[in-house]
Every structure is written in C-alpha cells, then in structure tokens.
Amino acid sequence: MGFKETIQFIRDKFDTKDFINLHAPIFKGNERKYVLDTLDSTFVSSVGSYVNLSEKMIAEISQAKRAVAVVNGTAGLQIALQLVGVQRGDEVITQALTFVATANAIHYNGAFPVFLDVDYDTMGLSPSAVSDFLEEFGERRDSGTFNKKTGRRISACMPMHTFGFPVNLDDLLKVCKKWNIPVVEDAAESLGSFYKGKHSGSFGRIGVFSFNGNKIVTSGGGGMIVTSEEDLGNLGKHLTTTAKVTHSYEYVHDQIGYNFRMPNLNAALVCAQLEQLESFLASKRQLANEYADFFESQTITFRKELENTQANYWLMSVELENLQERNAFLKVTNDSKIMTRPIWQLMYRLPMYQRCFRDGQRNAEFLEERIVNIPSSVRS
Ligand SMILES: *Cc1c(COP(=O)(O)O)cnc(C)c1O
C-alpha cells in the first residue's frame, strides 16, 4: 500500500523524526508579552482591556457588528440558542456528523436535537435533508414552525462548518427562511473560512467560534459569539456576565445569567494569536496545496475546499476507500508516531443521543467510515 510513502511525505513536511501532532498551537508572536501584561496590570480576570480588544478584533475579522467573548465555544453555543429563543421542550435541527459539543449545547437548553444528514462535499448540514424533513414534518403556526408528529416547536437550525469547510449556506438559509427558523452557525472550527467572500459565522443570526487549544487560534480555552443584531449582542453580553445591571455599588441582577465570560488572561493570548491569523491561514493553505499535489498519485483522496468557498484548512482530511482501509491507515500512521484521527462517531451512536430523531444519514455514514484527519499544524 501507499501508506509508507504517505508516512514519509508527512515526516518530510514536518521535518522531524519525533511524534507529529494533529494540531499543535504555536506562540511566536506577542503571546508572552500580552499575557505578562495582564499579570503586571493585575487584570487577569473578567474585566480587562484584552477582553474588549479580542471582541473588537473578532467583530472585524468575522464581519459581524458585535462579538461577545465567552469562556468556551460550547458555552457560546448554549447562549446563542437561548438568544434566538430556543426553549425547554423545543427541537433544534443539526447534523449527526459533528463534535459532541453541538448536540450538548442543544441539550443544555432542554431542547431535543434532530439529527439530519450532511452533504457529501461539504461534510456539513445538507439543505436538502433539512428541506425534506420540514416538508414531511413541519407545520407553520402563529407561534412558529412545529413538528406535527411530536408536537414540538422547531426553534433553531444549527449547521456546523466541518473542519472549516463552509456548508452550502445559500440553500440552507433559503430553506430556513421559508420555514422561518433562525440559524445559529456552529463556526467553532471555521475562523478564517469564507463562503462567497463572506466570513463564516456571519450568515446566521448568530455564529460561535472556539479558541480551544486545538483550534486555529487559541486562548487556552475560550470562544466568541458574533451577531450583527445589536440587541442580541447586548443581551448575549448581559446573560454571559451574570445578568448584572450597572450600579455604582449595589449587586443588581435582573434575571438568571451565567458566569460565562472569558478571563482577560485568556483574551490576552488570543489577541496575540489573532494578530497572526493571516500568516496561520497562509501556512495551512501552503500545506494543503502540498498534500493535494502529493495525494493526486495515491489511492487516498485529499479533501479540497469547494468552489465559492475559502476554507481555513483547520484540520485537513483524507478520504480512504472503505472502513478497512481507514482502519489500516489509522493503525499504521499512529504506530509510526504520526497522529491521525477518524472523523467523529455520529451523534446517535452515543448512549445519550441514541433515541433522538434522525433521517437516513447516507452521506454521514459514508463519511464516518472513510474520513481521517492528518497532521495540520501551522509550520513555523
Ligand atoms: C471545538 C468545538 C466546539 C466547542 O468548543 P469549545 O471551545 O471546546 O467548548 C463546538 N463545536 C465544534 C464543532 C467544535 O469543533
């Protein structure tokens, strides 16, 4: 098999005989300086200039009007769903092929995930699957769109841009608009990804990014809610900061909020990382091009960005011919100290989501058996 050549190729690209990570952060910009700044100023916690600066930087990058820094992407998704009106007992449409946080954020709101299929090419939520589902089960009423089989309100649709490949947003937004269902983009993986020249996360009413340690930029842990609706942004800030009302000395809180704000210490790190986003993207694109050229001559297919999109190539992926090939590839590469990982198990395989509604999942199950992530770090 060509795996030997592949292993050699990856080793050459990362120029090491040691273990090669799937995605390791690098801190060669102002990270040290800014983090030390927070210590020197004593503003390490929930207020501080880096929190504000990180929000400003993300608002600019993502082309959204408002950004709210939060403690992690999962918390951001949870609040985003609440902001668009998801309530206990509702249903939220999403994909089964995703990281568990997407489904968990729905569950934290007391809502039920509806797992629909992905498109083969984007690996993200399929507009036709959403349309099919709504045509069969959807019913428009005064108070929203309902699932006529379960009687529950369908109060949001949350697509996820898998590995930084934007979903088919034109078609998805069209379907959701027709059924008057708000879109929240799980853009945790897609900072730096564009669809028809517009940044991911800025299409839905809300988008959410993650700055976890393995993402394209990191704050150690953290996330960002973005929206172009000023009132949603304000309410998002309010809810994630214990719903505290400004007062010169009294503790006044006007509803049940959350302590979901990002500490200044973490914000300092991500500000320094965001300064380097362009160079990170360029480095990844270079590596993706080299992988693409190499895999042309292999039995393994490199997954390339799609027409009309610009992917951030956060985690790069290959498609193996079948499950056996996939397993053989995972074993050989990991045995050779090259970290590779299969795409996630579909959400309905997990014990807590086994009984959720799902459709046929033809593409999701095909991809589940074949997609593997390969080393994708920014090279210094
Ligand atoms: C990373 C990730 C999240 C969650 O982000 P955290 O900051 O780790 O909480 C959510 N959804 C997807 C698809 C992710 O990859």
Side-chain angles (χ1 to χ4, degrees):
M1 271 321 304
F3 298 164
K4 226 186 214 146
E5 271 176 65
T6 302
I7 287 168
Q8 193 54 50
F9 181 81
I10 296 174
R11 282 226 163 277
D12 290 347
K13 289 296 134 194
F14 287 90
D15 198 21
T16 175
K17 291 193 166 59
D18 299 332
F19 176 77
I20 300 173
N21 218 312
L22 202 59
H23 201 283
I26 57 166
F27 304 119
K28 297 201 167 161
N30 287 320
E31 287 87 349
R32 188 173 302 268
K33 179 167 178 283
Y34 293 175
V35 170
L36 286 176
D37 239 17
T38 67
L39 297 183
D40 292 340
S41 72
T42 77
F43 282 93
V44 293
S45 194
S46 41
V47 288
S49 55
Y50 287 109
V51 174
N52 302 339
L53 181 59
S54 70
E55 291 176 342
K56 200 165 152 263
M57 290 175 89
I58 284 291
E60 208 156 283
I61 292 166
S62 69
Q63 305 161 338
K65 282 208 193 83
R66 277 295 301 274
V68 176
V70 288
V71 71
N72 58 53
T74 311
L77 292 172
Q78 179 187 336
I79 294 298
L81 291 172
Q82 186 176 336
L83 287 172
V84 300
V86 172
Q87 293 180 356
R88 187 162 292 280
D90 288 351
E91 293 181 359
V92 175
I93 295 171
T94 192
Q95 58 207 60
L97 186 72
T98 185
F99 178 59
V100 70
T102 316
N104 286 347
I106 296 168
H107 194 81
Y108 297 156
N109 280 286
F112 298 86
V114 168
F115 295 119
L116 301 184
D117 203 4
V118 293
D119 282 333
Y120 166 77
D121 54 357
T122 67
M123 299 188 279
L125 189 60
S126 164
S128 60
V130 175
S131 178
D132 289 350
F133 171 78
L134 289 169
E135 293 297 337
E136 184 173 353
F137 296 103
E139 186 175 82
R140 299 287 306 268
R141 298 186 199 156
D142 289 345
S143 48
T145 292
F146 283 74
N147 180 328
K148 59 189 171 206
K149 183 130 177 274
T150 62
R152 295 178 187 134
R153 193 167 67 108
I154 304 167
S155 53
C157 175
M158 186 154 63
M160 195 281 282
H161 305 298
T162 303
F163 308 142
F165 284 19
V167 304
N168 177 346
L169 281 156
D170 275 353
D171 290 353
L172 186 67
L173 292 171
K174 215 177 283 164
V175 175
C176 289
K177 190 167 177 206
K178 176 177 171 193
W179 290 91
N180 199 20
I181 294 173
V183 173
V184 170
E185 294 175 72
D186 181 346
E189 307 185 348
S190 62
L191 185 69
S193 295
F194 295 80
Y195 178 83
K196 297 193 171 169
K198 197 166 174 262
H199 200 286
S200 71
S202 67
F203 290 83
R205 288 188 67 193
I206 303 186
V208 177
F209 301 109
S210 164
F211 308 136
N212 189 36
N214 66 344
K215 297 300 204 283
I216 190 163
V217 299
T218 185
S219 58
M224 199 71 77
I225 297 171
V226 296
T227 178
S228 288
E229 297 174 46
E230 198 66 39
D231 53 337
L232 279 191
N234 291 339
L235 187 56
K237 189 71 182 177
H238 190 60
L239 281 176
T240 54
T241 55
T242 68
K244 188 172 187 300
V245 180
T246 311
H247 190 284
S248 46
Y249 49 84
E250 292 278 10
Y251 296 107
V252 183
H253 305 265
D254 62 1
Q255 58 180 301
I256 296 182
Y258 302 82
N259 179 14
F260 279 173
R261 56 193 140 197
M262 186 195 294
N264 202 39
L265 198 56
N266 300 85
L269 188 61
V270 85
C271 286
Q273 290 261 288
L274 287 170
E275 288 174 351
Q276 303 160 82
L277 179 60
E278 285 303 319
S279 71
F280 290 176
L281 289 167
S283 167
K284 283 172 161 294
R285 179 159 295 273
Q286 173 70 30
L287 178 61
N289 288 336
E290 290 169 10
Y291 272 141
D293 285 347
F294 169 76
F295 284 111
E296 281 290 316
S297 62
Q298 305 292 312
T299 55
I300 301 172
T301 307
F302 182 73
R303 300 288 305 222
K304 287 187 238 178
E305 75 188 347
L306 303 165
E307 223 181 310
N308 291 323
T309 75
Q310 203 176 313
N312 65 358
Y313 283 113
W314 166 56
L315 282 189
M316 299 179 211
S317 55
V318 289
E319 180 180 329
L320 280 294
E321 282 179 286
N322 53 45
L323 184 60
Q324 278 150 330
E325 286 291 301
R326 182 203 84 149
N327 290 343
F329 181 73
L330 282 167
K331 176 148 179 37
V332 175
T333 46
N334 284 291
D335 284 352
S336 313
K337 295 194 297 180
I338 292 176
M339 186 170 171
T340 58
R341 289 290 180 268
I343 200 166
W344 313 280
Q345 290 186 20
L346 303 178
M347 287 302 107
Y348 52 81
R349 312 241 187 254
L350 307 180
M352 59 286 193
Y353 295 124
Q354 245 161 24
R355 285 155 59 195
C356 293
F357 180 92
R358 64 182 160 101
D359 63 4
Q361 306 285 331
R362 196 169 57 93
N363 293 325
E365 291 188 352
F366 182 93
L367 295 166
E368 182 189 31
E369 293 192 342
R370 289 168 179 81
I371 297 292
V372 174
N373 290 125
I374 55 178
S376 308
S377 302
V378 170
R379 293 171 295 174
S380 48

